[in-house]
Amino acid sequence: ASLTALNLGGNRLGDLGVMAIFPALIDAQQLTSLHLHRNQIGDGGAAILGEAIKTNTSLQELYLGDNQVADIGAEAMAAALSKSRLVKLKLMKNFIGDKGAE
């Protein structure tokens, strides 16, 4: 059986934790849903996840609510979206301002 959903919410991964799981995200080509809410992920982690969603062609849902993503991280995610297969991206309760929402 292949892992299709992974919920790591509420684990305080931070940007370093995202960097640590990055290789696994690239290899997990059956993973369709990833929950990383409440993990203290900032702009650096969002940029890393942006790279992951460009490479992982199976990931369809990414939940990043209640983190510390600001404008720079939102811009990195937005740049990656056109190269990803995501159909659902949740970024509620972050620090994204007008610039990051453009």
Side-chain angles (χ1 to χ4, degrees):
S2 299
L3 183 68
T4 59
L6 180 60
N7 186 340
L8 292 173
N11 281 292
R12 294 184 275 170
L13 291 176
D15 294 346
L16 290 177
V18 171
M19 190 180 301
I21 65 170
F22 177 77
L25 294 178
I26 300 302
D27 291 338
Q29 290 299 317
Q30 296 80 21
L31 188 67
T32 59
S33 179
L34 179 60
H35 293 251
L36 293 173
H37 54 282
R38 293 188 339 260
N39 267 299
Q40 300 172 350
I41 297 169
D43 290 335
I48 293 166
L49 288 168
E51 290 303 311
I53 65 171
K54 288 192 287 190
T55 306
N56 184 315
T57 56
S58 64
L59 194 62
Q60 296 176 10
E61 300 177 358
L62 178 57
Y63 297 85
L64 283 175
D66 203 10
N67 278 291
Q68 298 167 356
V69 179
D71 292 343
I72 293 170
E75 290 168 357
M77 292 296 298
L81 285 176
S82 65
K83 297 178 177 86
S84 80
R85 305 267 176 164
L86 281 186
V87 293
K88 189 179 288 185
L89 174 61
K90 294 202 174 186
L91 289 165
M92 67 278 193
K93 293 186 180 178
N94 277 281
F95 300 103
I96 301 167
D98 291 342
K99 185 176 181 197
E102 290 179 353

